[in-house]
Amino acid sequence: MASIAVPAPRVRSRWARALERYYGLSVSVVSVLCFLLLWEVAAERGWINARFSSQPSQIWRAAIHVGLTDDFAYHCWVSFAAFALGFAMALAVSVPLGLYLGTSRRGRLFIEPPLMALYTAPRLALLPILIVWLGIGLASKVAVVFLGAVFPILVNTMAGVRSADNRLVTAARAFGAGKLDIFVKVLVPGSLPAILMGVRLGVGRGVLSVVVGEMFVSEAGVGYQIMTYGQAMQFNNLLVYAFTISLFGYALTVGVRMLEDRIRSWRPAS
Amino acid sequence: MGQIEIRGLSIDYRKPKSDETFTAVENVSLSIEKGSFVTIVGSSGCGKSTLLMAIAGLIPRARGSIQVDGKEVSKPGPDRAMVFQDASLLPWRSVHANVRFGLELQRWTRDDIDERAMRYVRMVGLGAFADYHPHQLSGGMRQRVNIARALAVDPDVLLMDEPFGALDAQTREVMGDELLRIWERDKKTAIFVTHAIDEAIFLGDRVVVMGRNPGHIRDVVDIDLPRPRTAVMLDSPAFVAYRKRLREYIAADMQSLQMVEDVV
Ligand SMILES: Nc1ncnc2c1ncn2[C@@H]1O[C@H](COP(=O)(O)OP(=O)(O)O)[C@@H](O)[C@H]1O
Ligand SMILES: [Mg+2]
């Protein structure tokens, strides 16, 4: 028995891991700093027109101003609430529906055509209809976020279930697994990575949707402020809000990715 | 427990994209005494896996009957457990949790499945690797897990479909020794499919030789070698004679395949 060589598992020290993590982070930070510096200098020297393209130092000043006087927290909260509600609803619908459609051929045949039609339809074109149905305000925004996030999660969940390894299903059946056992113990855990990938894509879509939604169907929120400052040509203020949204979307995406990495730890590194 | 009677068994598959059927196994009759170790050899495509899957209750049969201890097989049951070739472990479960899998599915009581799974992990020599995931193991270790998973549910019949097929020659030998060591403890009825003739002789009390077009039994050879089997026997005159006899069958089968291909 001892004659079988066993490869040691990849165990890296805490320090090596920290170094690796901070390596990526520091390169990113340097990259951002270089970009900001170049932008600042270019505007200062008049290579670009600071009035239309703004300037980091001015945005910083605007940020302080916005933060102190602009109900910044309120607008963020309005947007966040719409996003969180819409996204939660999207999750609640897309994951169970995707799991079901992944296992049921009849369900797929029935639901797929209208689903794909909705998926490929430009959702912004539906906005006027949503406004008529739901009015201007929270409900419409939630609907827009829902429509933006629901499809990537649904499609990926479905794909995850359908790509399940048949050999695992056969093995489970050989031990007497019923349909529910196979679903719970093989299909769901097997499609978790695909589901999370869908969630990550859905986050991006959802964040985008809330901003776009607010530009048209809102009287408050980050998207609304972006629209307002855009029309007033106050680009510094506009960019403060735009960056806030980017940061939020980025942080959430990174969060989901970390979850994905944890879930995938059972997989060979690819 | 573990007496198997197969009578007049035929298995059909549906041909892809048509209503026609294709007979993969035809008129197979075989009785296997409880506690014996039977190996099945034959060139690839002669229906070895099909026969094994039918005994496992995983595929329906067209004609004939399969009985285990007098009970007609209609679906998988706790009296039989299967060891597959490879990649049938759940990649997201640890070694220990993979061995637990069969116990969970067969509804063993919660309290003792953890301990029982661990006992079988140790039995196949993987005690130190209980928390590893399949991708962190060598092919041989993965097959140990597969065997542990099957034995843990305490079946009367152990079905193995080329369990060492993906392993290199040396590991294969070690695994064969190991399997016999484990089998000798409680002598469960074992059916072991392989295409390696030496392996079939070394492991089996009897070797069932299958031929193809359609899959059928050509001969059943009793292996009269003492147990425990040891590597020295591989060169004994008796072993060499068995090897020669079985090789001729397989060679004939390959030739008939050649002819079919020539005609086509
Ligand atoms: N699911 C299936 N559908 C249709 N034909 C199959 C299926 N599985 C196996 N066969 C056919 O049945 C024959 C026997 O296959 P198999 O039992 O896998 O042979 P072996 O295990 O001896 O290599 C082969 O000709 C193979 O093509
Ligand atoms: Mg086979």
Side-chain angles (χ1 to χ4, degrees):
Chain A
M1 237 184 305
S3 61
I4 298 178
V6 176
R10 248 160 32 106
V11 180
R12 285 165 300 164
S13 77
R14 211 197 190 90
W15 287 108
R17 278 211 306 270
L19 198 73
E20 205 165 274
R21 182 174 299 165
Y22 289 126
Y23 176 76
L25 189 66
S26 38
V27 171
S28 303
V29 168
V30 169
S31 146
V32 170
L33 286 179
C34 283
F35 174 72
L36 290 178
L37 191 72
L38 194 69
W39 187 358
E40 182 73 30
V41 171
E44 198 63 45
R45 290 283 170 93
W47 299 340
I48 55 176
N49 186 334
R51 182 162 148 60
F52 299 123
S53 55
S54 193
Q55 197 177 359
S57 56
Q58 284 180 28
I59 298 170
W60 179 245
R61 244 168 280 145
I64 293 169
H65 173 76
V66 163
L68 291 177
T69 65
D70 203 31
D71 270 345
F72 179 72
Y74 169 71
H75 291 296
C76 286
W77 167 247
V78 167
S79 298
F80 177 76
F83 171 80
L85 273 173
F87 197 77
M89 282 167 61
L91 268 181
V93 169
S94 59
V95 173
L97 187 62
L99 289 173
Y100 165 70
L101 291 180
T103 46
S104 162
R105 196 177 115 82
R106 193 187 303 158
R108 270 201 305 280
L109 289 174
F110 188 72
I111 293 186
E112 215 160 49
L115 195 72
M116 286 304 133
L118 253 180
Y119 187 31
T120 45
R123 275 171 297 278
L124 268 180
L126 301 177
L127 217 55
I129 305 176
L130 286 179
I131 296 174
V132 172
W133 281 5
L134 303 168
I136 288 187
L138 184 65
S140 287
K141 288 195 291 181
V142 169
V144 172
V145 173
F146 174 82
L147 285 176
V150 80
F151 292 106
I153 309 176
L154 180 60
V155 168
N156 275 284
T157 304
M158 248 166 80
V161 176
R162 292 191 67 187
S163 66
D165 190 339
N166 243 323
R167 289 169 299 191
L168 301 183
V169 175
T170 306
R173 284 211 302 132
F175 284 99
K179 279 197 162 127
L180 187 66
D181 287 318
I182 290 172
F183 185 73
V184 172
K185 291 180 193 281
V186 181
L187 298 182
V188 172
S191 41
L192 214 50
I195 294 174
L196 280 179
M197 191 171 95
V199 168
R200 179 157 49 83
L201 298 176
V203 163
R205 291 286 192 83
V207 170
L208 201 67
S209 299
V210 80
V211 176
V212 173
E214 281 174 346
M215 292 170 92
F216 296 97
V217 293
S218 187
E219 284 159 339
V222 173
Y224 173 78
Q225 289 295 86
I226 287 176
M227 191 72 164
T228 310
Y229 285 125
Q231 279 163 354
M233 301 273 275
Q234 296 184 22
F235 296 140
N236 294 331
N237 291 353
L238 181 154
L239 284 170
V240 172
Y241 280 100
F243 282 143
T244 307
I245 278 291
S246 307
L247 206 66
F248 176 70
Y250 181 71
L252 220 52
T253 306
V254 168
V256 178
R257 173 151 271 150
M258 277 159 68
L259 212 61
E260 277 181 85
D261 287 347
R262 271 185 68 156
I263 295 291
R264 274 170 198 261
S265 66
W266 47 263
R267 281 202 168 170
S270 52
Chain B
M1 298 293 271
Q3 173 80 26
I4 301 171
E5 293 292 342
I6 301 171
R7 281 189 223 105
L9 176 70
S10 297
I11 292 161
D12 294 344
Y13 284 120
R14 260 227 324 277
K15 281 188 183 166
K17 292 185 185 150
S18 78
D19 286 336
E20 290 170 64
T21 55
F22 157 81
T23 303
V25 169
E26 186 162 74
N27 197 22
V28 162
S29 296
L30 183 68
S31 43
I32 296 171
E33 271 100 77
K34 62 178 181 217
S36 67
F37 200 122
V38 170
T39 54
I40 302 179
V41 281
S43 50
S44 100
C46 69
K48 304 183 297 293
S49 298
T50 302
L51 177 58
L52 213 64
M53 299 269 275
I55 300 172
L58 288 167
I59 50 177
R61 47 188 183 268
R63 288 167 296 283
S65 78
I66 303 173
Q67 296 190 341
V68 177
D69 294 321
K71 240 180 64 201
E72 193 68 25
V73 165
S74 61
K75 57 178 198 291
D79 53 344
R80 287 150 288 144
M82 185 116 169
V83 178
F84 296 87
Q85 190 177 50
D86 195 16
S88 77
L89 298 175
L90 303 174
W92 55 85
R93 284 188 177 221
S94 68
V95 166
H96 179 253
N98 261 293
V99 175
R100 264 185 58 143
F101 186 58
L103 296 165
E104 290 172 19
L105 291 174
Q106 297 193 359
R107 307 285 187 272
W108 287 63
T109 39
R110 282 251 155 237
D111 300 337
D112 48 36
I113 59 176
D114 275 327
E115 205 180 307
R116 186 174 174 87
M118 196 60 212
R119 198 155 76 239
Y120 281 85
V121 169
R122 285 205 199 92
M123 190 178 81
V124 296
L126 292 178
F129 301 93
D131 294 330
Y132 282 42
H133 282 82
H135 78 269
Q136 296 169 306
L137 306 177
S138 67
M141 294 164 85
R142 280 200 291 271
Q143 285 315 81
R144 285 164 190 268
V145 181
N146 245 323
I147 291 169
R149 181 171 72 177
L151 288 172
V153 298
D154 194 26
D156 300 322
V157 180
L158 190 60
L159 305 167
M160 294 168 273
D161 190 3
E162 304 201 36
F164 308 150
L167 306 181
D168 61 89
Q170 260 119 50
T171 312
R172 219 176 159 127
E173 270 182 34
V174 176
M175 293 292 291
D177 282 340
E178 190 78 357
L179 179 64
L180 284 184
R181 181 184 65 81
I182 292 169
W183 173 76
E184 307 246 351
R185 289 183 176 185
D186 44 9
K187 297 241 169 146
K188 292 179 185 304
T189 309
I191 308 182
F192 184 103
V193 167
T194 176
H195 56 250
I197 292 171
D198 277 15
E199 194 171 63
I201 302 166
F202 184 77
L203 296 174
D205 296 318
R206 287 198 296 159
V207 178
V208 176
V209 187
M210 287 184 72
R212 62 163 135 211
N213 294 324
H216 62 285
I217 294 183
R218 307 189 57 176
D219 198 3
V220 178
V221 180
D222 286 312
I223 304 296
D224 212 354
L225 294 170
R227 290 188 187 271
R229 305 268 166 91
T230 57
V232 221
M233 292 177 192
L234 290 168
D235 301 314
S236 69
F239 200 103
V240 172
Y242 288 130
R243 182 189 290 147
K244 185 158 177 290
R245 181 168 164 196
L246 291 174
R247 276 216 180 127
E248 272 158 16
Y249 279 123
I250 306 285
D253 214 34
M254 294 316 275
Q255 244 162 26
S256 73
L257 178 70
Q258 194 64 51
M259 270 157 54
V260 171
E261 277 169 4
D262 286 348
V263 172
V264 174

